[in-house]
Structure formats: structure tokens, C-alpha cells
Amino acid sequence: MRAWFEIDLWKRVIAFLVLGLIFGLGLRYGMGAEAGGAFAETWFGWLGQLFLRLIRMLIVPLVFFTLVSGVIAMGDPKRLGSLGARALGMYFGTTAIAVTLGLVMATLFQPGASLSPETFAGVTAAPVQPEPPSLIARLLAIVPTNPVEALANGDILQIIFFAIIFGVGILISGDIGKPVAAVIDSASEIMMKVTMFVMETAPFGVFGLMTVVMATQGLGVLKSLGTLTIALYLACALHIVITYGGIIIRTILRLPVMYFFRGVTDAQAVAYSTASSSATLPVTITCAEENLGIDKAVAGSVLPLGATINMDGTAIYIGMVALFGAQAMGIDVTLGQYFLVAVMATLVSIGAAGIPSAGLFLSGLALQQVGIPQEQAFLIIGFILPFDRLLDMMRTLTNVTGDAAVATAVAKWEGELDEEIYRARDI
Ligand code: ASP
């Protein structure tokens, strides 16, 4: 038992993914496609379903508490002004570039094109909503008329909206807000623990999902997911090198790029192996202070907020998943829908918690923007899920690098960057 927990979770997940892959293929080619598929669904389908339900259970409390506590982490309301505006401006700017990059790559690579609607367990093609509501109506709908109802319905955008306002309210209430701030911080810590606990079931859930996918679909599905993986890795790598290295560090800040990348390597390695920006946060803060020379107050406020709301890798991914779904369903995406997907990817990347697979579970919202109904959206998510780890690792690495780049920029503008420390390392 102890030996089991001593193995890193991600290694167990990958091992069970491979086991499920082999086992599912064994069933398919041993018992025949039909019998093998039915056997897998009956005996192993519930494992994956259970895991998906457990994860869905976490979404609402996790988004709410992590986001409010992220806003609280900004600390002093007076600093909220300049520091917050600068950080938020950078977050939005970089995320906009990220989303665009993701959509372009998904259009170029067409990862979902080799699939058909039947792939998703016999569900028929997505009937597009007869008349999608106007942009104004959609934007208005982000404001909840009743926050409790928004929480109860799991309306993520409304929850994000309320969480941000609520967090700001706590901050400007000063001492009176402190008890609630403490409760929220504690609740968000607790939800992280609960999530880690649920993630312990991931090896089995992934095994179940993988077995069923392989037994019912065979190896052909790997092709489309392989393309998705390549497209995502490429988009993230370009974003890191061009947007962070080239545009922010080199052009805007006029700092030597290699010192930046050398300084954040540890955080990147931890991000890649944990697939969690939040779990990486302590390392990111250490790298920022000790390697990049970012002042404590800036690192301590900008980075926790970034770990919660600045997720460029996730934004790239959400856009890609939406197009992946549309391509698989044979839906033509209109220009207006591209725009809505971009908006949704940005908002979702803000709302996603910095924990493994958070982005994937919220991608249903973007899938709906291209006209895929909720139930089918969940099927697509379940389809990608067994492979999500590999994708998650890269988007988390991107997310964390982005947090560090924005923190460097804010520190420099606030006059809080010690360039001696920044340049002190051997390259
Ligand atoms: N795992 C990512 C992170 O922690 C979030 C995501 O699932 O995209 O940054």
C-alpha cells in the first residue's frame, strides 16, 4: 500500500493509461469488436463514469474558492490599483495571443477531422441551437441575478463574475473582511486537498475510460489525439518562446531572455510533472525571488493570482478542444463562433483552478459555443480525458512560465526588480 503511494501520481496515471490501452485492445481484438466493446462497457464503464462524476463534483466549490482567494492574495487594496491593473492587463494581453494561436493551430492541424460523430458512442450529429442568443444577451448572462442560484446550477461564468466582485469586496472591507478572507483561504486549501484526494482515483478512472475507448474504438482514435497533442505542444512552445521570451522579456522589458528561462526552469519542471499551477506555486515564488530578483511583495501577490487566473496554456487548449469537437462533429464554425470560442476560452482559463485536468472539465463551455449540446460535450471530454495528462503537463508548464513572465514585467514597472539578481546566474 505504502509503495503504491510512494510512486508519483502522474506515473501511476500514465501506467494505468497504458494498462487500459493494452487491456482494451486485448478485449477488442481477442473477443471481437462488438463483444469486446460490450464487455468493456459493462464491466469497466462505471470506473470512468465514477471518476468523471467525482471530478464534476469538485468544479463549483473549487472555482469559487480558488478565485476568491486568488483575488484576496492581491493583498493591500491600495496596491490593487497599479499592481492589479498592470498584472490584469498583461494577463489579458497574453491570453488573447494564446487563444488566437490555439485556434490557428487547431485550424491548421485539424485534429478532430479524422473522427466522426459516431465515435462518441453512437450519439447522432449535434443539432445546432436554432437561434443562438446575441452577443449582448450572452454577455449580460454573465451577471448572475442570484449568485446562490448560479452556484447551484454550476454556471461557471456567473460564478467567476461573482467570485471576483466578492473578492474585491473582501479586500476593500479591510479588517472587517479578514475573518471571511481567512475562511475562504482555508476553504480553498481544503478544496485543493479534496481534489488531490479525488485525483488519487485517477489511475483507476483513466484505466476504465481507456479500456472502454480502446475496446469500442480500437487504435484509430489515437491518430486524432496524437495530432491534438502535437498541435498543443507546438502552440505552447511558440507561445513561450515568442510571446514570453521575445515580446515580453526581450522587446518590452529589454532584459536578456536566457536568464529568464534559466531562472524559471525549476518551476517549469515541477509544473510539467505535477500538472498543477497551484502545486507549483511555492517553487514559482522561490524562482521569482531568488533567480529573477522579483521583490517579495510583487511575487507574493502577482504569482498566486496568476496561478489562479492566468492560464495561457489552458486558453490555447480550450480553443483547440472546441475546434476538435466541431471537426469531429462535422460542424462548420462561423467567424462569430470563433470569436465566442475565444471569449469563452479566455474566461474559462480565468475560472479554471490550477490543478490537474481543471481545464479539460471546463472545456464543455467552449464546446457548447460551436453548437455541441452539453451531453455530447461531456462525451467528447470523456474521450479526451484518458490522454489529458500529457496535454495537461504542457499547458501547465506554459501557465507557470506565463505567471513568471508577467511577474517579471510588473516588478520591473513597479521598480521592484533587482537586475543584479536577475543577471547573476551562470548561463
Ligand atoms: N492543470 C492546469 C494548471 O494547473 C490547468 C488545466 O487543467 O488546464 O495550470
Side-chain angles (χ1 to χ4, degrees):
M1 191 69 173
R2 178 159 326 141
W4 167 259
F5 286 108
E6 269 167 12
I7 304 170
D8 291 335
L9 179 63
W10 69 274
K11 289 183 187 152
R12 282 179 273 149
V13 171
I14 302 245
F16 273 66
L17 185 149
V18 176
L19 279 181
L21 185 138
I22 297 169
F23 186 57
L25 287 178
L27 288 177
R28 181 179 176 88
Y29 297 111
M31 298 172 68
E34 212 145 283
F39 183 85
E41 297 246 24
T42 316
W43 294 101
F44 297 97
W46 66 272
L47 264 178
Q49 294 307 317
L50 177 65
F51 180 57
L52 286 177
R53 288 189 76 99
L54 281 169
I55 294 275
R56 281 171 75 176
M57 168 186 89
L58 300 173
I59 295 175
V60 167
L62 204 55
V63 168
F64 181 75
F65 289 124
T66 45
L67 195 49
V68 180
S69 85
V71 175
I72 298 172
M74 294 242 52
D76 182 1
K78 278 191 228 104
R79 294 201 81 171
L80 201 75
S82 81
L83 221 135
R86 285 176 162 153
L88 291 179
M90 290 297 281
Y91 292 159
F92 275 111
T94 53
T95 305
I97 301 177
V99 173
T100 313
L101 199 60
L103 292 177
V104 169
M105 291 305 239
T107 308
L108 286 180
F109 279 80
Q110 298 277 319
S114 60
L115 298 174
S116 66
E118 287 74 44
T119 319
F120 307 108
V123 201
T124 43
V128 183
Q129 288 168 354
E131 201 144 325
S134 71
L135 184 61
I136 301 228
R138 278 170 198 257
L139 290 178
L140 274 180
I142 295 176
V143 182
T145 50
N146 177 350
V148 179
E149 195 184 350
L151 288 167
N153 293 337
D155 190 322
I156 298 297
L157 295 186
Q158 295 192 344
I159 296 174
I160 292 174
F161 184 87
F162 181 67
I164 293 176
I165 299 225
F166 191 66
V168 172
I170 292 177
L171 275 187
I172 55 180
S173 303
D175 281 346
I176 294 186
K178 290 221 165 96
V180 174
V183 170
I184 300 251
D185 278 340
S186 144
S188 100
E189 278 299 311
I190 292 168
M191 280 315 297
M192 296 279 181
K193 292 283 179 310
V194 174
T195 305
M196 293 306 162
F197 184 67
V198 166
M199 286 311 287
E200 286 297 329
T201 66
F204 310 107
V206 161
F207 175 80
L209 290 163
M210 215 41 205
T211 302
V212 173
V213 169
M214 284 301 136
T216 54
Q217 312 294 333
L219 268 178
V221 294
L222 286 184
K223 185 168 164 259
S224 59
L225 287 163
T227 320
L228 182 67
T229 310
I230 293 172
L232 180 81
Y233 271 63
L234 210 63
C236 285
L238 285 176
H239 191 57
I240 290 173
V241 173
I242 298 176
T243 314
Y244 302 147
I247 301 181
I248 298 183
I249 303 293
R250 172 89 249 157
T251 313
I252 303 183
L253 302 181
R254 307 208 162 276
L255 291 168
V257 176
M258 285 324 287
Y259 289 95
F260 172 76
F261 285 123
R262 179 69 194 82
V264 293
T265 312
D266 288 352
Q268 287 179 323
V270 175
Y272 194 74
S273 51
T274 59
S276 165
S277 312
S278 298
T280 314
L281 188 58
V283 189
T284 322
I285 294 180
T286 316
C287 285
E289 290 175 10
E290 287 174 11
N291 305 346
L292 301 177
I294 298 173
D295 169 68
K296 253 194 173 55
V298 175
S301 57
V302 174
L303 289 172
L305 183 67
T308 324
I309 71 171
N310 183 42
M311 297 198 178
D312 292 352
T314 306
I316 291 176
Y317 182 64
I318 302 281
M320 280 192 169
V321 169
L323 295 191
F324 176 86
Q327 288 155 6
M329 292 289 177
I331 298 172
D332 279 329
V333 183
T334 63
L335 207 62
Q337 280 173 324
Y338 268 104
F339 178 70
L340 287 175
V341 166
V343 172
M344 194 54 81
T346 307
L347 291 172
V348 163
S349 73
I350 294 172
I355 53 164
S357 283
L360 178 66
F361 289 100
L362 295 178
S363 62
L365 289 163
L367 283 163
Q368 285 168 40
Q369 298 306 314
V370 295
I372 297 173
Q374 199 181 30
E375 281 313 307
Q376 274 177 333
F378 276 117
L379 288 175
I380 295 175
I381 293 171
F383 175 79
I384 301 177
L385 182 76
F387 308 89
D388 191 50
R389 184 71 196 196
L390 203 62
L391 305 166
D392 201 0
M393 290 165 37
M394 188 60 180
R395 56 183 199 260
T396 309
L397 184 151
T398 312
N399 294 345
V400 167
T401 312
D403 295 340
V406 171
T408 310
V410 174
K412 171 117 184 173
W413 292 329
E414 297 270 322
E416 307 276 13
L417 186 78
D418 187 333
E419 289 197 33
E420 256 174 46
I421 299 181
Y422 182 92
R423 291 167 201 266
R425 300 190 46 113
D426 288 337
I427 296 289

